[in-house]
Amino acid sequence: ETGVTQTPRHLVMGMTNKKSLKCEQHLGHNAMYWYKQSAKKPLELMFVYSLEERVENNSVPSRFSPECPNSSHLFLHLHTLQPEDSALYLCASSQAQGSQGTDTQYFGPGTRLTVL
Amino acid sequence: AQTVTQSQPEMSVQEAETVTLSCTYDTSESDYYLFWYKQPPSRQMILVIRQEAYKQQNATENRFSVNFQKAAKSFSLKISDSQLGDAAMYFCAYRSALASGSRLTFGEGTQLTVNP
């Protein structure tokens, strides 16, 4: 596999379920990101991990819980979600090169989440 | 906070013609990076082109080029010899150069239709 992969590609869950989204990058990068893309809204950054430490948490509700066990894997654990959480969840990775790095982000194909 | 504005929700172009997508941004920083991403119906976010703000020369990638006007805070994308495969949602994005692993701020996107 190459690039950034995400599983599952589609997920339907009830409000009381617990599920996890998985992202894996095969690019040797050291930073990973979760974005949320809702209909008719710009992409919103949720979390940033750099060198496996969370460096940014963009005021995301606690029903979303990220986990980065190593530089290649990123999870988003979901529990007691609301219907308005239905969206496309995109994972991205980049190679942080210090303050002067271009740090271009490469995206996975996304997980389409529907909360019933 | 930085903002990115794409004032054209939809654009269309005839196959083989040229089209320009507009993007403006607001920032108080002097060093940053700008990107254009393409999101086809598959929802995969694909990097099209990037520009470092400290470079005066406009970036070019094959049929894609930008017109970067730093003073005007404008970053338009020109697609030459448009192809049916260029049909997609195009997002302009900004990233600060102050720290690596930092967020991308996206515009709302422009839906490009290519007519045969």
Side-chain angles (χ1 to χ4, degrees):
Chain A
E1 295 234 40
T2 59
V4 182
T5 58
Q6 290 186 242
T7 55
R9 294 294 307 277
H10 301 273
L11 178 63
V12 180
M13 59 186 290
M15 293 169 60
T16 58
N17 292 157
K18 289 185 179 181
K19 297 287 184 182
S20 295
L21 309 185
K22 178 182 176 182
C23 175
E24 185 173 0
Q25 60 93 3
H26 310 270
L27 300 169
H29 289 165
N30 59 11
M32 298 187 77
Y33 311 76
W34 279 118
Y35 287 87
K36 176 183 179 182
Q37 186 177 24
S38 304
K40 302 190 184 302
K41 292 178 67 175
L43 277 80
E44 304 171 71
L45 179 70
M46 300 177 72
F47 301 103
V48 180
Y49 276 83
S50 181
L51 299 174
E52 301 162 35
E53 289 189 24
R54 189 190 310 181
V55 296
E56 190 158 352
N57 177 347
N58 196 25
S59 301
V60 178
S62 60
R63 57 186 183 269
F64 295 91
S65 175
E67 178 189 2
C68 187
N70 55 62
S71 59
S72 299
H73 294 85
L74 183 66
F75 295 89
L76 188 62
H77 303 299
L78 317 171
H79 65 96
T80 60
L81 294 191
Q82 305 298 312
E84 59 265 28
D85 296 323
S86 298
L88 181 71
Y89 288 84
L90 290 164
C91 174
S93 72
S94 70
Q95 181 60 30
Q97 299 174 1
S99 61
Q100 297 304 313
T102 57
D103 198 16
T104 299
Q105 294 179 26
Y106 295 88
F107 286 80
T111 294
R112 171 66 65 185
L113 174 67
T114 302
V115 181
L116 301 177
Chain B
Q2 294 82 21
T3 58
V4 177
T5 302
Q6 293 178 249
S7 59
Q8 306 155 316
E10 298 177 348
M11 291 282 287
S12 63
V13 63
Q14 290 297 124
E15 196 175 3
E17 297 294 310
T18 296
V19 64
T20 299
L21 308 184
S22 301
C23 173
T24 59
Y25 57 94
D26 187 26
T27 183
S28 59
E29 298 173 341
S30 60
D31 198 12
Y32 48 87
Y33 303 98
L34 297 166
F35 305 84
W36 278 98
Y37 282 90
K38 164 186 176 182
Q39 189 177 40
S42 68
R43 310 299 280 176
Q44 175 84 52
M45 193 75 74
I46 301 166
L47 177 69
V48 175
I49 200 166
R50 70 177 183 222
Q51 173 82 42
E52 291 87 346
Y54 62 86
K55 290 186 177 179
Q56 294 186 346
Q57 186 174 6
N58 289 325
T60 298
E61 287 288 344
N62 300 314
R63 298 183 294 107
F64 299 87
S65 61
V66 299
N67 183 5
F68 174 47
Q69 301 289 328
K70 191 172 184 179
K73 296 180 182 176
S74 171
F75 183 61
S76 61
L77 174 70
K78 186 172 81 171
I79 306 174
S80 304
D81 186 25
S82 297
Q83 300 176 0
L84 296 177
D86 295 333
M89 181 72 86
Y90 285 80
F91 292 96
C92 178
Y94 170 102
R95 187 186 85 79
S96 170
L98 289 179
S100 61
S102 61
R103 68 173 63 198
L104 281 173
T105 300
F106 285 88
E108 294 184 350
T110 297
Q111 181 68 52
L112 177 66
T113 300
V114 180
N115 300 310

